Amino acid sequence: MEKVVSLCKRRGFVFPSSEIYGGIGSTYDYGHYGVLLKNNVKAQWWRALLLDRDDVVALDSAIIQHPRTWEASGHLEGFTDPLVECRTCGQRFRADHLEALPCGRKPSRHPGGDPACDLTESRSFNLMFETTMGPVRETGAAVYLRPETAQGIFVNFKNVLSFSRKKPPFGIAQVGKSFRNEITPGNFIFRMREFEQMEMEFFVPPTEAERWFAYWTTARRDWYLELGLRADRLRLRPHDADELSHYSSATSDVEYLFPIGWSELEGIADRGDFDLTQHARFSGEKLEYFDQATSEHYVPHVIEPAAGADRAALAFLCDAYDEDEIGGERRTVLRLHPRLAPVKAAVLPLVRKDGQPELAREVRDALRERVMCEYDEGGAIGRRYRRQDEIGTPFAVTVDHQSLEDRTVTVRERDSLAQERVAIDALGDELERRLRAPWTRPHPG
Ligand code: GAP
């Protein structure tokens, strides 16, 4: 993890937020390559969950919902973690994670493990961030930053049903920020207080719930595999009965073997009719579907694949990180799936003279209409290749003296290091073809 964190900082993928003020607990900012990477993760999610299908529609609901939303969903009452505080060091810990956490004063021990530790009784701590809506703080209404995007979908069920001309089975997908006042965030962007979720609520006739739960569980695991995560670092873990959330009759997690161990990447839950029934009760609106074929009203059941964009980006980064040796020189390389790579092609003149930069810029201008590319003329060619390898650029396009004679360039592949001459006129088509082709990791492990 340290190596990934250090690469992210060095190359400006992700860095601690408000760093000039000393940072703010487990909040991170994304720099240029991080934004491009996370955008690609989200784009691939939209592609798989919406663009490639006819049965899912998009939504972008507000972060601040009516406060009754969180009463109905159960978050106000039950979205809590057990918290203990140490009277000696003043630090707060999750009571159910004590064995895995370092003591505030003696990191070699766990909280409560040193005679000087003085822990309070455990109490329930609500993870929702509360704020006030209205111009006067004292008289404003208490509202909450959403802790999940899902509820924005449920409260819009009736709206979407009326304009989308969909009938169950159909889904509503949403990507956006969620906020949780986690007691012990950490492990870089794995657990933050502000993060992005990619959630889809799939509404189905009750009798089809089991089948769709199985379908989405497999489909979501396969999405990570298709984007290159190693099969031996990915697994499905069904929840035991005592782990299930109050709303769920079945949940499976897609887990990834992060450097911190096997951890949840995404959860797929059968939420039954819990959410629509609750919001119908609290709002007084009927949240049902009328099936004209049977002349019956029913409350659809919901299958929910809920993923985190930051956590997925972290898994892809950890899986992609590699070090190897070329000609006796060490290189760090991100073996990202080309579709996820922040930059698809780097255009590099071999030398900064003889008309090569001019031709290289011409190649870059033509190429950037089709793929995300970057021009770099600074430093020895080997160093420029390394810089691109480190950010995961799958193709380096080099303009050399021959290019000026026959209008061809070399295309170097990040993984195989193979170099091939390609005509400039055919370059765009060729790169797009390669980007569409299936990709496999060159060196397992
Ligand atoms: N609507 C269901 C729901 O929110 P969840 O398991 O609490 O379920 C879904 O969250 C996903 O959101 C997780 O699998 C994880 O990828 C991501 N996530 C949750 N809390 C997070 C946090 N504090 N930091 C980063 N990602 C988080």
Side-chain angles (χ1 to χ4, degrees):
M1 187 72 103
E2 269 169 33
K3 287 185 170 177
V4 171
V5 175
S6 146
L7 175 100
C8 283
K9 176 113 201 263
R10 191 167 69 244
R11 299 310 313 273
F13 279 78
V14 183
F15 28 83
S17 184
S18 322
E19 221 178 353
I20 59 167
Y21 291 106
I24 172 165
S26 287
T27 309
Y28 289 89
D29 294 342
Y30 282 72
H32 181 64
Y33 296 128
V35 171
L36 296 175
L37 169 66
K38 193 154 67 134
N39 277 350
N40 290 343
V41 170
K42 291 185 282 184
Q44 288 303 315
W45 187 88
W46 280 118
R47 168 141 301 284
L49 275 92
L50 186 131
L51 297 175
D52 284 347
R53 325 177 48 96
D54 295 322
D55 54 0
V56 177
V57 295
L59 180 77
D60 189 358
S61 70
I63 284 173
I64 297 177
Q65 303 279 336
H66 193 288
R68 293 272 282 168
T69 305
W70 310 110
E71 272 181 64
S73 67
H75 283 83
L76 209 51
E77 179 77 16
F79 193 53
T80 57
D81 275 339
L83 170 107
V84 292
E85 208 163 334
C86 179
R87 295 186 189 91
T88 312
C89 70
Q91 284 204 31
R92 293 165 151 206
F93 306 98
R94 255 182 79 161
D96 53 343
H97 285 180
L98 291 182
E99 287 307 310
L101 294 169
C103 161
R105 291 165 71 244
K106 284 220 173 104
S108 57
R109 308 241 169 130
H110 299 302
D114 188 83
C117 295
D118 182 9
L119 300 185
T120 59
E121 285 292 302
S122 158
R123 67 180 168 90
S124 287
F125 174 78
N126 195 297
L127 302 185
M128 282 199 295
F129 279 98
E130 188 177 327
T131 186
T132 317
M133 187 171 254
V136 184
R137 193 175 221 296
E138 290 69 28
T139 56
V143 291
Y144 304 91
L145 303 188
R146 67 179 175 202
E148 61 174 20
T149 57
Q151 298 303 324
I153 296 178
F154 298 127
V155 300
N156 276 297
F157 174 75
K158 203 174 163 186
N159 276 339
V160 176
L161 200 60
S162 65
F163 67 66
S164 67
R165 298 174 55 237
K166 297 281 179 220
K167 58 180 198 164
F170 81 102
I172 307 177
Q174 159 150 253
V175 172
K177 285 262 169 113
S178 292
F179 303 82
R180 295 181 190 178
N181 201 358
E182 303 274 3
I183 299 170
T184 42
N187 291 315
F188 194 38
I189 53 174
F190 180 84
R191 193 181 302 285
M192 296 185 288
R193 294 198 167 102
E194 175 179 342
F195 56 97
E196 252 183 305
Q197 287 188 307
M198 311 184 286
E199 297 198 288
M200 199 270 290
E201 309 301 324
F202 201 69
F203 300 91
V204 301
T207 51
E208 296 180 22
E210 208 173 314
R211 178 164 77 77
W212 282 108
F213 175 71
Y215 169 87
W216 281 111
T217 305
T218 310
R220 293 306 302 146
R221 193 240 356 243
D222 291 352
W223 183 79
Y224 293 99
L225 291 174
E226 277 156 27
L227 288 173
L229 286 193
R230 287 165 233 218
D232 60 349
R233 291 191 188 174
L234 203 68
R235 72 180 184 195
L236 281 172
R237 190 183 67 79
H239 281 206
D240 292 333
D242 60 352
E243 268 183 282
L244 292 173
S245 309
H246 58 285
Y247 53 74
S248 176
S249 58
T251 297
S252 271
D253 284 347
V254 180
E255 291 191 335
Y256 176 71
L257 186 55
F258 285 94
I260 51 170
W262 286 104
S263 307
E264 176 188 336
L265 195 48
E266 164 160 358
I268 299 96
D270 179 344
R271 300 180 69 116
D273 63 1
F274 175 81
D275 303 277
L276 291 182
T277 306
Q278 282 292 97
H279 287 300
R281 196 155 74 79
F282 277 71
S283 67
E285 293 280 347
K286 272 202 174 117
L287 301 180
E288 300 173 340
Y289 176 71
F290 176 64
D291 188 344
Q292 282 174 338
T294 60
S295 294
E296 269 177 8
H297 289 270
Y298 69 86
V299 180
H301 281 207
V302 171
I303 307 301
E304 173 196 67
D310 311 273
R311 211 173 272 189
L314 180 61
F316 290 122
L317 281 167
C318 291
D319 216 67
Y321 187 94
D322 200 5
E323 292 171 357
D324 63 5
E325 226 176 84
I326 305 176
E329 214 188 298
R330 299 232 17 103
R331 94 169 160 157
T332 300
V333 51
L334 278 187
R335 299 191 193 280
L336 287 167
H337 191 296
R339 273 181 237 154
L340 296 178
V343 176
K344 311 300 180 199
V347 182
L348 319 166
L350 186 62
V351 291
R352 211 175 351 176
K353 56 182 185 181
D354 303 338
Q356 290 183 23
E358 289 77 8
L359 181 58
R361 278 196 285 267
E362 183 193 316
V363 170
R364 184 266 324 263
D365 289 347
L367 211 50
R368 77 169 156 206
E369 287 178 15
R370 307 174 70 160
V371 296
M372 176 71 202
C373 57
E374 195 172 273
Y375 174 80
D376 185 6
E377 60 174 28
I381 190 73
R383 277 195 57 204
R384 280 180 278 158
Y385 284 150
R386 300 293 166 277
R387 279 208 290 265
Q388 294 299 331
D389 291 339
E390 215 181 27
I391 61 163
T393 307
F395 305 109
V397 174
T398 309
V399 170
D400 55 17
H401 65 278
Q402 191 182 327
S403 310
L404 294 153
E405 288 163 13
D406 64 4
R407 290 192 63 84
T408 63
V409 287
T410 59
V411 176
R412 169 193 181 266
E413 276 194 5
R414 174 197 71 197
D415 297 324
S416 65
L417 300 173
Q419 300 210 18
E420 202 183 316
R421 281 208 93 83
V422 175
I424 290 174
D425 289 346
L427 186 63
D429 283 348
E430 175 59 17
L431 290 188
E432 280 184 346
R433 186 190 65 75
R434 293 190 192 192
L435 285 165
R436 272 197 308 271
W439 175 83
T440 43
R441 178 173 301 282
H443 316 293

mmCIF file with all atom_site columns, all heavy atoms in Angstrom, residues 187 190-191 235 253-258 260-266 311:
data_model
loop_
_atom_site.group_PDB
_atom_site.id
_atom_site.type_symbol
_atom_site.label_atom_id
_atom_site.label_alt_id
_atom_site.label_comp_id
_atom_site.label_asym_id
_atom_site.label_entity_id
_atom_site.label_seq_id
_atom_site.pdbx_PDB_ins_code
_atom_site.Cartn_x
_atom_site.Cartn_y
_atom_site.Cartn_z
_atom_site.occupancy
_atom_site.B_iso_or_equiv
_atom_site.pdbx_formal_charge
_atom_site.auth_seq_id
_atom_site.auth_comp_id
_atom_site.auth_asym_id
_atom_site.auth_atom_id
_atom_site.pdbx_PDB_model_num
ATOM 1   N N   . ASN A 1 187 ? -6.508  3.682   5.697  1.00 0.00 ? 187 ASN A N   1
ATOM 2   C CA  . ASN A 1 187 ? -6.040  2.890   4.569  1.00 0.00 ? 187 ASN A CA  1
ATOM 3   C C   . ASN A 1 187 ? -6.248  3.644   3.260  1.00 0.00 ? 187 ASN A C   1
ATOM 4   O O   . ASN A 1 187 ? -6.893  3.149   2.334  1.00 0.00 ? 187 ASN A O   1
ATOM 5   C CB  . ASN A 1 187 ? -6.714  1.521   4.535  1.00 0.00 ? 187 ASN A CB  1
ATOM 6   C CG  . ASN A 1 187 ? -6.246  0.684   5.694  1.00 0.00 ? 187 ASN A CG  1
ATOM 7   O OD1 . ASN A 1 187 ? -5.050  0.633   5.978  1.00 0.00 ? 187 ASN A OD1 1
ATOM 8   N ND2 . ASN A 1 187 ? -7.166  0.063   6.395  1.00 0.00 ? 187 ASN A ND2 1
ATOM 9   N N   . PHE A 1 190 ? -9.387  3.844   0.840  1.00 0.00 ? 190 PHE A N   1
ATOM 10  C CA  . PHE A 1 190 ? -10.277 2.696   1.073  1.00 0.00 ? 190 PHE A CA  1
ATOM 11  C C   . PHE A 1 190 ? -11.484 3.123   1.912  1.00 0.00 ? 190 PHE A C   1
ATOM 12  O O   . PHE A 1 190 ? -12.622 2.780   1.599  1.00 0.00 ? 190 PHE A O   1
ATOM 13  C CB  . PHE A 1 190 ? -9.531  1.566   1.797  1.00 0.00 ? 190 PHE A CB  1
ATOM 14  C CG  . PHE A 1 190 ? -10.399 0.371   2.058  1.00 0.00 ? 190 PHE A CG  1
ATOM 15  C CD1 . PHE A 1 190 ? -10.586 -0.588  1.078  1.00 0.00 ? 190 PHE A CD1 1
ATOM 16  C CD2 . PHE A 1 190 ? -11.063 0.223   3.277  1.00 0.00 ? 190 PHE A CD2 1
ATOM 17  C CE1 . PHE A 1 190 ? -11.413 -1.677  1.303  1.00 0.00 ? 190 PHE A CE1 1
ATOM 18  C CE2 . PHE A 1 190 ? -11.889 -0.865  3.506  1.00 0.00 ? 190 PHE A CE2 1
ATOM 19  C CZ  . PHE A 1 190 ? -12.061 -1.816  2.517  1.00 0.00 ? 190 PHE A CZ  1
ATOM 20  N N   . ARG A 1 191 ? -11.228 3.825   2.999  1.00 0.00 ? 191 ARG A N   1
ATOM 21  C CA  . ARG A 1 191 ? -12.334 4.279   3.849  1.00 0.00 ? 191 ARG A CA  1
ATOM 22  C C   . ARG A 1 191 ? -12.144 5.769   4.153  1.00 0.00 ? 191 ARG A C   1
ATOM 23  O O   . ARG A 1 191 ? -11.241 6.151   4.872  1.00 0.00 ? 191 ARG A O   1
ATOM 24  C CB  . ARG A 1 191 ? -12.380 3.482   5.156  1.00 0.00 ? 191 ARG A CB  1
ATOM 25  C CG  . ARG A 1 191 ? -13.674 3.674   5.930  1.00 0.00 ? 191 ARG A CG  1
ATOM 26  C CD  . ARG A 1 191 ? -13.696 2.891   7.225  1.00 0.00 ? 191 ARG A CD  1
ATOM 27  N NE  . ARG A 1 191 ? -13.520 1.464   7.056  1.00 0.00 ? 191 ARG A NE  1
ATOM 28  C CZ  . ARG A 1 191 ? -14.445 0.617   6.590  1.00 0.00 ? 191 ARG A CZ  1
ATOM 29  N NH1 . ARG A 1 191 ? -15.629 1.083   6.280  1.00 0.00 ? 191 ARG A NH1 1
ATOM 30  N NH2 . ARG A 1 191 ? -14.186 -0.658  6.465  1.00 0.00 ? 191 ARG A NH2 1
ATOM 31  N N   . ARG A 1 235 ? -12.984 -12.419 -4.896 1.00 0.00 ? 235 ARG A N   1
ATOM 32  C CA  . ARG A 1 235 ? -13.873 -13.513 -4.495 1.00 0.00 ? 235 ARG A CA  1
ATOM 33  C C   . ARG A 1 235 ? -15.243 -12.953 -4.114 1.00 0.00 ? 235 ARG A C   1
ATOM 34  O O   . ARG A 1 235 ? -15.372 -11.760 -3.799 1.00 0.00 ? 235 ARG A O   1
ATOM 35  C CB  . ARG A 1 235 ? -13.276 -14.289 -3.323 1.00 0.00 ? 235 ARG A CB  1
ATOM 36  C CG  . ARG A 1 235 ? -13.302 -13.545 -2.004 1.00 0.00 ? 235 ARG A CG  1
ATOM 37  C CD  . ARG A 1 235 ? -12.699 -14.364 -0.870 1.00 0.00 ? 235 ARG A CD  1
ATOM 38  N NE  . ARG A 1 235 ? -12.821 -13.652 0.404  1.00 0.00 ? 235 ARG A NE  1
ATOM 39  C CZ  . ARG A 1 235 ? -12.157 -13.970 1.504  1.00 0.00 ? 235 ARG A CZ  1
ATOM 40  N NH1 . ARG A 1 235 ? -11.297 -14.979 1.506  1.00 0.00 ? 235 ARG A NH1 1
ATOM 41  N NH2 . ARG A 1 235 ? -12.361 -13.295 2.616  1.00 0.00 ? 235 ARG A NH2 1
ATOM 42  N N   . ASP A 1 253 ? -20.788 -9.967  -0.875 1.00 0.00 ? 253 ASP A N   1
ATOM 43  C CA  . ASP A 1 253 ? -19.788 -8.946  -1.148 1.00 0.00 ? 253 ASP A CA  1
ATOM 44  C C   . ASP A 1 253 ? -18.833 -9.444  -2.224 1.00 0.00 ? 253 ASP A C   1
ATOM 45  O O   . ASP A 1 253 ? -18.449 -10.620 -2.221 1.00 0.00 ? 253 ASP A O   1
ATOM 46  C CB  . ASP A 1 253 ? -18.958 -8.650  0.117  1.00 0.00 ? 253 ASP A CB  1
ATOM 47  C CG  . ASP A 1 253 ? -19.727 -7.808  1.118  1.00 0.00 ? 253 ASP A CG  1
ATOM 48  O OD1 . ASP A 1 253 ? -20.776 -7.255  0.731  1.00 0.00 ? 253 ASP A OD1 1
ATOM 49  O OD2 . ASP A 1 253 ? -19.277 -7.706  2.274  1.00 0.00 ? 253 ASP A OD2 1
ATOM 50  N N   . VAL A 1 254 ? -18.468 -8.530  -3.131 1.00 0.00 ? 254 VAL A N   1
ATOM 51  C CA  . VAL A 1 254 ? -17.319 -8.802  -3.984 1.00 0.00 ? 254 VAL A CA  1
ATOM 52  C C   . VAL A 1 254 ? -16.133 -8.317  -3.162 1.00 0.00 ? 254 VAL A C   1
ATOM 53  O O   . VAL A 1 254 ? -16.088 -7.148  -2.772 1.00 0.00 ? 254 VAL A O   1
ATOM 54  C CB  . VAL A 1 254 ? -17.391 -8.020  -5.308 1.00 0.00 ? 254 VAL A CB  1
ATOM 55  C CG1 . VAL A 1 254 ? -16.170 -8.323  -6.168 1.00 0.00 ? 254 VAL A CG1 1
ATOM 56  C CG2 . VAL A 1 254 ? -18.672 -8.323  -6.058 1.00 0.00 ? 254 VAL A CG2 1
ATOM 57  N N   . GLU A 1 255 ? -15.221 -9.215  -2.853 1.00 0.00 ? 255 GLU A N   1
ATOM 58  C CA  . GLU A 1 255 ? -14.063 -8.831  -2.037 1.00 0.00 ? 255 GLU A CA  1
ATOM 59  C C   . GLU A 1 255 ? -12.783 -8.883  -2.878 1.00 0.00 ? 255 GLU A C   1
ATOM 60  O O   . GLU A 1 255 ? -12.635 -9.731  -3.759 1.00 0.00 ? 255 GLU A O   1
ATOM 61  C CB  . GLU A 1 255 ? -13.914 -9.776  -0.848 1.00 0.00 ? 255 GLU A CB  1
ATOM 62  C CG  . GLU A 1 255 ? -15.019 -9.617  0.175  1.00 0.00 ? 255 GLU A CG  1
ATOM 63  C CD  . GLU A 1 255 ? -14.716 -10.355 1.471  1.00 0.00 ? 255 GLU A CD  1
ATOM 64  O OE1 . GLU A 1 255 ? -13.941 -11.340 1.440  1.00 0.00 ? 255 GLU A OE1 1
ATOM 65  O OE2 . GLU A 1 255 ? -15.261 -9.972  2.494  1.00 0.00 ? 255 GLU A OE2 1
ATOM 66  N N   . TYR A 1 256 ? -11.866 -7.982  -2.558 1.00 0.00 ? 256 TYR A N   1
ATOM 67  C CA  . TYR A 1 256 ? -10.573 -7.947  -3.248 1.00 0.00 ? 256 TYR A CA  1
ATOM 68  C C   . TYR A 1 256 ? -9.470  -8.108  -2.202 1.00 0.00 ? 256 TYR A C   1
ATOM 69  O O   . TYR A 1 256 ? -9.598  -7.609  -1.074 1.00 0.00 ? 256 TYR A O   1
ATOM 70  C CB  . TYR A 1 256 ? -10.411 -6.609  -3.999 1.00 0.00 ? 256 TYR A CB  1
ATOM 71  C CG  . TYR A 1 256 ? -9.061  -6.477  -4.658 1.00 0.00 ? 256 TYR A CG  1
ATOM 72  C CD1 . TYR A 1 256 ? -8.741  -7.255  -5.770 1.00 0.00 ? 256 TYR A CD1 1
ATOM 73  C CD2 . TYR A 1 256 ? -8.097  -5.621  -4.153 1.00 0.00 ? 256 TYR A CD2 1
ATOM 74  C CE1 . TYR A 1 256 ? -7.480  -7.162  -6.361 1.00 0.00 ? 256 TYR A CE1 1
ATOM 75  C CE2 . TYR A 1 256 ? -6.841  -5.526  -4.739 1.00 0.00 ? 256 TYR A CE2 1
ATOM 76  C CZ  . TYR A 1 256 ? -6.548  -6.309  -5.846 1.00 0.00 ? 256 TYR A CZ  1
ATOM 77  O OH  . TYR A 1 256 ? -5.306  -6.232  -6.421 1.00 0.00 ? 256 TYR A OH  1
ATOM 78  N N   . LEU A 1 257 ? -8.427  -8.792  -2.607 1.00 0.00 ? 257 LEU A N   1
ATOM 79  C CA  . LEU A 1 257 ? -7.295  -8.976  -1.692 1.00 0.00 ? 257 LEU A CA  1
ATOM 80  C C   . LEU A 1 257 ? -6.410  -7.726  -1.752 1.00 0.00 ? 257 LEU A C   1
ATOM 81  O O   . LEU A 1 257 ? -5.415  -7.675  -2.475 1.00 0.00 ? 257 LEU A O   1
ATOM 82  C CB  . LEU A 1 257 ? -6.508  -10.235 -2.058 1.00 0.00 ? 257 LEU A CB  1
ATOM 83  C CG  . LEU A 1 257 ? -5.373  -10.633 -1.103 1.00 0.00 ? 257 LEU A CG  1
ATOM 84  C CD1 . LEU A 1 257 ? -5.864  -10.787 0.327  1.00 0.00 ? 257 LEU A CD1 1
ATOM 85  C CD2 . LEU A 1 257 ? -4.717  -11.936 -1.572 1.00 0.00 ? 257 LEU A CD2 1
ATOM 86  N N   . PHE A 1 258 ? -6.847  -6.689  -1.006 1.00 0.00 ? 258 PHE A N   1
ATOM 87  C CA  . PHE A 1 258 ? -6.057  -5.452  -0.905 1.00 0.00 ? 258 PHE A CA  1
ATOM 88  C C   . PHE A 1 258 ? -4.786  -5.764  -0.112 1.00 0.00 ? 258 PHE A C   1
ATOM 89  O O   . PHE A 1 258 ? -4.722  -6.782  0.588  1.00 0.00 ? 258 PHE A O   1
ATOM 90  C CB  . PHE A 1 258 ? -6.862  -4.382  -0.143 1.00 0.00 ? 258 PHE A CB  1
ATOM 91  C CG  . PHE A 1 258 ? -7.974  -3.755  -0.932 1.00 0.00 ? 258 PHE A CG  1
ATOM 92  C CD1 . PHE A 1 258 ? -9.274  -4.249  -0.849 1.00 0.00 ? 258 PHE A CD1 1
ATOM 93  C CD2 . PHE A 1 258 ? -7.741  -2.659  -1.750 1.00 0.00 ? 258 PHE A CD2 1
ATOM 94  C CE1 . PHE A 1 258 ? -10.311 -3.665  -1.568 1.00 0.00 ? 258 PHE A CE1 1
ATOM 95  C CE2 . PHE A 1 258 ? -8.766  -2.066  -2.474 1.00 0.00 ? 258 PHE A CE2 1
ATOM 96  C CZ  . PHE A 1 258 ? -10.052 -2.574  -2.377 1.00 0.00 ? 258 PHE A CZ  1
ATOM 97  N N   . ILE A 1 260 ? -4.149  -4.675  2.582  1.00 0.00 ? 260 ILE A N   1
ATOM 98  C CA  . ILE A 1 260 ? -4.592  -4.775  3.983  1.00 0.00 ? 260 ILE A CA  1
ATOM 99  C C   . ILE A 1 260 ? -5.363  -6.068  4.236  1.00 0.00 ? 260 ILE A C   1
ATOM 100 O O   . ILE A 1 260 ? -5.862  -6.284  5.341  1.00 0.00 ? 260 ILE A O   1
ATOM 101 C CB  . ILE A 1 260 ? -5.498  -3.577  4.365  1.00 0.00 ? 260 ILE A CB  1
ATOM 102 C CG1 . ILE A 1 260 ? -6.626  -3.416  3.333  1.00 0.00 ? 260 ILE A CG1 1
ATOM 103 C CG2 . ILE A 1 260 ? -4.691  -2.303  4.514  1.00 0.00 ? 260 ILE A CG2 1
ATOM 104 C CD1 . ILE A 1 260 ? -7.729  -2.432  3.725  1.00 0.00 ? 260 ILE A CD1 1
ATOM 105 N N   . GLY A 1 261 ? -5.451  -6.933  3.242  1.00 0.00 ? 261 GLY A N   1
ATOM 106 C CA  . GLY A 1 261 ? -6.182  -8.197  3.395  1.00 0.00 ? 261 GLY A CA  1
ATOM 107 C C   . GLY A 1 261 ? -7.482  -8.167  2.598  1.00 0.00 ? 261 GLY A C   1
ATOM 108 O O   . GLY A 1 261 ? -7.826  -7.170  1.965  1.00 0.00 ? 261 GLY A O   1
ATOM 109 N N   . TRP A 1 262 ? -8.215  -9.306  2.648  1.00 0.00 ? 262 TRP A N   1
ATOM 110 C CA  . TRP A 1 262 ? -9.483  -9.392  1.906  1.00 0.00 ? 262 TRP A CA  1
ATOM 111 C C   . TRP A 1 262 ? -10.459 -8.362  2.455  1.00 0.00 ? 262 TRP A C   1
ATOM 112 O O   . TRP A 1 262 ? -10.723 -8.347  3.665  1.00 0.00 ? 262 TRP A O   1
ATOM 113 C CB  . TRP A 1 262 ? -10.110 -10.781 2.069  1.00 0.00 ? 262 TRP A CB  1
ATOM 114 C CG  . TRP A 1 262 ? -9.417  -11.844 1.279  1.00 0.00 ? 262 TRP A CG  1
ATOM 115 C CD1 . TRP A 1 262 ? -8.569  -12.793 1.748  1.00 0.00 ? 262 TRP A CD1 1
ATOM 116 C CD2 . TRP A 1 262 ? -9.551  -12.083 -0.141 1.00 0.00 ? 262 TRP A CD2 1
ATOM 117 N NE1 . TRP A 1 262 ? -8.142  -13.590 0.715  1.00 0.00 ? 262 TRP A NE1 1
ATOM 118 C CE2 . TRP A 1 262 ? -8.733  -13.180 -0.457 1.00 0.00 ? 262 TRP A CE2 1
ATOM 119 C CE3 . TRP A 1 262 ? -10.272 -11.463 -1.177 1.00 0.00 ? 262 TRP A CE3 1
ATOM 120 C CZ2 . TRP A 1 262 ? -8.613  -13.691 -1.753 1.00 0.00 ? 262 TRP A CZ2 1
ATOM 121 C CZ3 . TRP A 1 262 ? -10.150 -11.973 -2.471 1.00 0.00 ? 262 TRP A CZ3 1
ATOM 122 C CH2 . TRP A 1 262 ? -9.325  -13.056 -2.743 1.00 0.00 ? 262 TRP A CH2 1
ATOM 123 N N   . SER A 1 263 ? -10.983 -7.496  1.584  1.00 0.00 ? 263 SER A N   1
ATOM 124 C CA  . SER A 1 263 ? -11.913 -6.460  2.050  1.00 0.00 ? 263 SER A CA  1
ATOM 125 C C   . SER A 1 263 ? -12.971 -6.200  0.994  1.00 0.00 ? 263 SER A C   1
ATOM 126 O O   . SER A 1 263 ? -12.759 -6.423  -0.200 1.00 0.00 ? 263 SER A O   1
ATOM 127 C CB  . SER A 1 263 ? -11.177 -5.150  2.320  1.00 0.00 ? 263 SER A CB  1
ATOM 128 O OG  . SER A 1 263 ? -10.093 -5.371  3.177  1.00 0.00 ? 263 SER A OG  1
ATOM 129 N N   . GLU A 1 264 ? -14.087 -5.640  1.463  1.00 0.00 ? 264 GLU A N   1
ATOM 130 C CA  . GLU A 1 264 ? -15.235 -5.409  0.572  1.00 0.00 ? 264 GLU A CA  1
ATOM 131 C C   . GLU A 1 264 ? -14.928 -4.368  -0.494 1.00 0.00 ? 264 GLU A C   1
ATOM 132 O O   . GLU A 1 264 ? -14.434 -3.291  -0.206 1.00 0.00 ? 264 GLU A O   1
ATOM 133 C CB  . GLU A 1 264 ? -16.422 -4.929  1.420  1.00 0.00 ? 264 GLU A CB  1
ATOM 134 C CG  . GLU A 1 264 ? -17.628 -4.571  0.587  1.00 0.00 ? 264 GLU A CG  1
ATOM 135 C CD  . GLU A 1 264 ? -18.729 -3.914  1.407  1.00 0.00 ? 264 GLU A CD  1
ATOM 136 O OE1 . GLU A 1 264 ? -18.796 -4.126  2.636  1.00 0.00 ? 264 GLU A OE1 1
ATOM 137 O OE2 . GLU A 1 264 ? -19.533 -3.176  0.801  1.00 0.00 ? 264 GLU A OE2 1
ATOM 138 N N   . LEU A 1 265 ? -15.268 -4.746  -1.710 1.00 0.00 ? 265 LEU A N   1
ATOM 139 C CA  . LEU A 1 265 ? -15.137 -3.839  -2.841 1.00 0.00 ? 265 LEU A CA  1
ATOM 140 C C   . LEU A 1 265 ? -16.531 -3.320  -3.201 1.00 0.00 ? 265 LEU A C   1
ATOM 141 O O   . LEU A 1 265 ? -16.719 -2.168  -3.541 1.00 0.00 ? 265 LEU A O   1
ATOM 142 C CB  . LEU A 1 265 ? -14.542 -4.645  -3.998 1.00 0.00 ? 265 LEU A CB  1
ATOM 143 C CG  . LEU A 1 265 ? -13.962 -3.989  -5.219 1.00 0.00 ? 265 LEU A CG  1
ATOM 144 C CD1 . LEU A 1 265 ? -13.006 -2.881  -4.853 1.00 0.00 ? 265 LEU A CD1 1
ATOM 145 C CD2 . LEU A 1 265 ? -13.231 -5.047  -6.034 1.00 0.00 ? 265 LEU A CD2 1
ATOM 146 N N   . GLU A 1 266 ? -17.489 -4.219  -3.119 1.00 0.00 ? 266 GLU A N   1
ATOM 147 C CA  . GLU A 1 266 ? -18.862 -3.902  -3.525 1.00 0.00 ? 266 GLU A CA  1
ATOM 148 C C   . GLU A 1 266 ? -19.812 -4.865  -2.827 1.00 0.00 ? 266 GLU A C   1
ATOM 149 O O   . GLU A 1 266 ? -19.444 -6.011  -2.590 1.00 0.00 ? 266 GLU A O   1
ATOM 150 C CB  . GLU A 1 266 ? -18.959 -4.060  -5.053 1.00 0.00 ? 266 GLU A CB  1
ATOM 151 C CG  . GLU A 1 266 ? -20.364 -4.144  -5.586 1.00 0.00 ? 266 GLU A CG  1
ATOM 152 C CD  . GLU A 1 266 ? -20.477 -3.807  -7.073 1.00 0.00 ? 266 GLU A CD  1
ATOM 153 O OE1 . GLU A 1 266 ? -19.458 -3.470  -7.709 1.00 0.00 ? 266 GLU A OE1 1
ATOM 154 O OE2 . GLU A 1 266 ? -21.613 -3.890  -7.576 1.00 0.00 ? 266 GLU A OE2 1
ATOM 155 N N   . ARG A 1 311 ? -12.925 3.160   -3.976 1.00 0.00 ? 311 ARG A N   1
ATOM 156 C CA  . ARG A 1 311 ? -12.418 1.844   -3.575 1.00 0.00 ? 311 ARG A CA  1
ATOM 157 C C   . ARG A 1 311 ? -12.086 0.997   -4.808 1.00 0.00 ? 311 ARG A C   1
ATOM 158 O O   . ARG A 1 311 ? -11.100 0.265   -4.820 1.00 0.00 ? 311 ARG A O   1
ATOM 159 C CB  . ARG A 1 311 ? -13.462 1.147   -2.707 1.00 0.00 ? 311 ARG A CB  1
ATOM 160 C CG  . ARG A 1 311 ? -12.816 0.244   -1.704 1.00 0.00 ? 311 ARG A CG  1
ATOM 161 C CD  . ARG A 1 311 ? -13.826 -0.306  -0.757 1.00 0.00 ? 311 ARG A CD  1
ATOM 162 N NE  . ARG A 1 311 ? -14.048 0.548   0.396  1.00 0.00 ? 311 ARG A NE  1
ATOM 163 C CZ  . ARG A 1 311 ? -14.777 0.180   1.445  1.00 0.00 ? 311 ARG A CZ  1
ATOM 164 N NH1 . ARG A 1 311 ? -15.332 -1.018  1.464  1.00 0.00 ? 311 ARG A NH1 1
ATOM 165 N NH2 . ARG A 1 311 ? -14.937 0.993   2.470  1.00 0.00 ? 311 ARG A NH2 1
#
